Amino acid sequence: MSGSRKMVLGFVAAASMVVGPLLVAAPASAATDYANCTELRADYPHGVGEPGAVDSTSSTPVTNFTVDQALYDANSESDRDGDGIACEKH
Ligand SMILES: [Ca+2]
């Protein structure tokens, strides 16, 4: 009885060694596509922009947005004025 239990534990350990790295790698490579700016700003309060993007506004430009090309690409539909920053906000 104790012999078969050892085999089960060994199998579980081996399986988690194979599956573990795949589970860890997935979130890092996938940029989240937020449904709207309300959801995006819950994680990035000042918006997300491309490297080098400059906020096009008639008032004080937002400069403290998160710079992340992949994240911007996934949410570029939320960049209504097309200045390279999605959901910019002070
Ligand atoms: Ca914009």
Side-chain angles (χ1 to χ4, degrees):
M1 183 168 170
S2 64
S4 63
R5 189 172 172 195
K6 263 187 185 173
M7 279 180 63
V8 170
L9 288 175
F11 175 76
V12 170
S16 57
M17 281 172 70
V18 172
V19 175
L22 294 174
L23 293 176
V24 171
S29 60
T32 303
D33 182 3
Y34 293 91
N36 52 51
C37 283
T38 302
E39 290 193 7
L40 187 148
R41 289 191 190 120
D43 289 338
Y44 304 95
H46 305 290
V48 174
E50 300 180 289
V54 177
D55 182 19
S56 70
T57 176
S58 54
S59 61
T60 310
V62 175
T63 57
N64 55 352
F65 56 89
T66 299
V67 177
D68 188 319
Q69 184 71 62
L71 199 54
Y72 172 79
D73 288 345
N75 294 279
S76 57
E77 76 279 0
S78 294
D79 181 13
R80 272 165 263 167
D81 56 3
D83 59 4
I85 311 159
C87 308
E88 59 269 45
K89 188 182 184 185
H90 286 287

